[in-house]
Amino acid sequence: HALWVTSWPFAQYVKHAWAGAWVNSLFRNEGNGRASDMIRSAVAITRSIWKAPELGIITFVSPKHVPPKVRRGQAIYGYSYLKAGFKHVGFTKGGLWAWQMLPADMPEAQQLPALAA
């Protein structure tokens, strides 16, 4: 009950500072599982398909569409990515929170589990 999309756009067409990284362009958790565990699993499955680029994987979180998690008085947008091992690396020009996981911090490659019929 989750959806994950990883893309790997050609660096020459990317207009953000992380050109060459995988991009997690969509994650949605509709189930009962912990989002951070699902994120780590999705990264591990992605690693089983492609060799991770030097810049790893990046995702962008919109404060307009995601509720914050308040930690120590500070609003954090994309807290599940933080818990999954991503690091907050800045903001886009449009104000999106940028989260990155480098290859050294990624979980080991894992094959996609068989789906139940």
Side-chain angles (χ1 to χ4, degrees):
H1 294 97
L3 176 64
W4 176 273
V5 175
T6 301
S7 61
W8 199 358
F10 292 110
Q12 64 266 33
Y13 299 114
V14 174
K15 294 183 180 181
H16 56 68
W18 302 274
W22 291 334
V23 178
N24 164 229
S25 52
L26 176 62
F27 171 61
R28 185 157 180 104
N29 177 4
E30 293 288 334
N32 294 325
R34 187 179 322 165
S36 59
D37 291 340
M38 292 179 178
I39 292 167
R40 288 190 64 78
S41 290
V43 171
I45 291 166
T46 302
R47 285 192 86 177
S48 75
I49 298 167
W50 294 318
K51 181 181 183 292
E54 282 185 36
L55 292 177
I57 188 167
I58 191 85
T59 195
F60 305 105
V61 178
S62 172
K64 295 177 184 174
H65 297 101
V66 175
K69 175 84 170 182
V70 178
R71 302 299 288 177
R72 297 184 186 125
Q74 179 185 2
I76 299 173
Y77 295 90
Y79 185 73
S80 294
Y81 287 94
L82 175 67
K83 294 299 284 181
F86 280 66
K87 293 185 174 52
H88 182 245
V89 291
F91 299 91
T92 66
K93 291 177 185 174
L96 303 178
W97 285 56
W99 295 93
Q100 182 180 36
M101 180 183 277
L102 294 173
D105 300 321
M106 291 179 179
E108 292 299 318
Q110 166 188 322
Q111 295 294 317
L112 180 65
L115 300 175

